[in-house]
Amino acid sequence: MATDYDAPRKTEEEQSEDSIEELKARRHEKNSGKVDEDEVEAAESFELPGADLSHEELAVQVVPKQLDEFTCSSCFLVHHRSQLAEEKKNGQLICRDCAY
């Protein structure tokens, strides 16, 4: 909590009175004891890891490797030629991420 150092100081007695008054005010609030219903509904819609997704279909368009791309021999990811760090003597291509 932020502290206002320019504010007048209160004694411990005044601070305890303030907190008691705040507690009394909170007790009479209508929503103080209720659970937020939106959070409960949102939690029910989450899928847990290991859920059965066999009935789901995945639609992804697979594009073959282009002429300006290479496959890194270390991480096996396809990168653009601008990411090429080095080519070893045996023809293996290494990306910038794996070279460092």
Side-chain angles (χ1 to χ4, degrees), residues 17-47:
E17 289 174 4
D18 289 345
S19 62
I20 291 173
E21 290 173 8
E22 288 176 12
L23 291 173
K24 287 180 182 177
R26 288 184 196 164
R27 181 174 31 164
H28 297 295
E29 288 180 5
K30 293 180 181 178
N31 295 330
S32 64
K34 292 185 180 179
V35 176
D36 190 6
E37 295 174 8
D38 295 336
E39 290 180 7
V40 173
E41 290 175 8
E44 290 176 354
S45 66
F46 289 139
E47 292 186 21

Side-chain angles (χ1 to χ4, degrees), residues 73-84:
S73 60
S74 179
C75 65
F76 303 105
L77 295 176
V78 177
H79 296 281
H80 188 265
R81 283 277 175 191
S82 63
Q83 296 294 316
L84 181 62

